[in-house]
Amino acid sequence: DRLPERGMNARAREAAVALLAVLGSAGGAAAADLPLSLEEAASGRTVEVQAGAAALHVVFFATWCPPCVDELDRLTDLEDRWEGRGYRLARLAARARQSLDRLSGFVAKRPMPGQLLFDAEGEVERAWGATRVPTHVVLDAAGAEIARSGSLDATIEDALKQLLSGE
């Protein structure tokens, strides 16, 4: 599913710069000290997302996206398999047609893997060029992008396996 395109205003540009500094760029830059703050859907509290886990798996997600919902069981399996080895899952809810209330209701209906965070202003999706949901991005401990895909496919699973099992 395609996200609505929006122009990047000054605030979005600042967020993009901050996100790239925090999570690292596709070119392998190391993560900065300052974390990215987003609202957690279940609690509404602000949480920080930063590199540091052996593998940070970021998934741009929407409650209205059938493929996103269909992947939840597979994401739970990945979390169960790799959590003890440094796997961290952060699902970033794109702002299109969503609200914190809608996300909280969605989370209350079923167990969810990882953290569901709300990108209320769409700054993170713009910074990462996530124009479709789902979009999967795997980062290493330094915040370098290792893999990216529009689905939970072999590209993502192979990158996680390489980072978490040493293969």
Side-chain angles (χ1 to χ4, degrees):
D1 291 53
R2 190 157 176 74
L3 294 171
E5 292 184 20
R6 295 183 269 304
M8 190 177 281
N9 62 26
R11 184 171 179 205
R13 276 191 299 278
E14 289 171 12
V17 170
L19 176 65
L20 291 173
V22 171
L23 297 178
S25 71
D33 294 331
L34 298 174
L36 173 70
S37 296
L38 291 168
E39 287 180 276
E40 186 176 47
S43 67
R45 68 184 172 90
T46 300
V47 298
E48 297 176 343
V49 177
Q50 60 186 350
L56 175 59
H57 183 184
V58 178
V59 181
F60 292 88
F61 174 90
T63 58
W64 47 262
C65 164
C68 296
V69 175
D70 291 345
E71 289 180 344
L72 290 175
D73 289 338
R74 289 183 58 213
L75 288 169
T76 299
D77 290 343
L78 285 176
E79 190 173 59
D80 290 346
R81 184 175 358 152
W82 297 114
E83 189 173 33
R85 295 192 183 177
Y87 174 78
R88 181 168 175 219
L89 173 64
R91 287 176 301 112
L92 276 58
R95 82 179 213 176
R97 297 184 281 171
Q98 298 188 124
S99 67
L100 194 55
D101 287 340
R102 182 177 182 171
L103 292 168
S104 297
F106 185 82
V107 170
K109 291 179 184 176
R110 67 178 290 174
M112 304 296 276
Q115 283 184 298
L116 179 58
L117 306 171
F118 188 35
D119 185 15
E121 299 300 320
E123 295 165 345
V124 178
E125 72 189 52
R126 283 190 294 274
W128 277 95
T131 58
R132 297 182 183 273
V133 288
T135 294
H136 293 259
V137 181
V138 175
L139 305 168
D140 68 10
E145 184 175 324
I146 302 302
R148 178 184 288 251
S149 181
S151 66
L152 185 52
D153 61 12
T155 301
I156 298 302
E157 293 197 34
D158 289 348
L160 291 171
K161 186 176 181 181
Q162 180 182 11
L163 289 171
L164 298 168
S165 69
E167 295 179 18

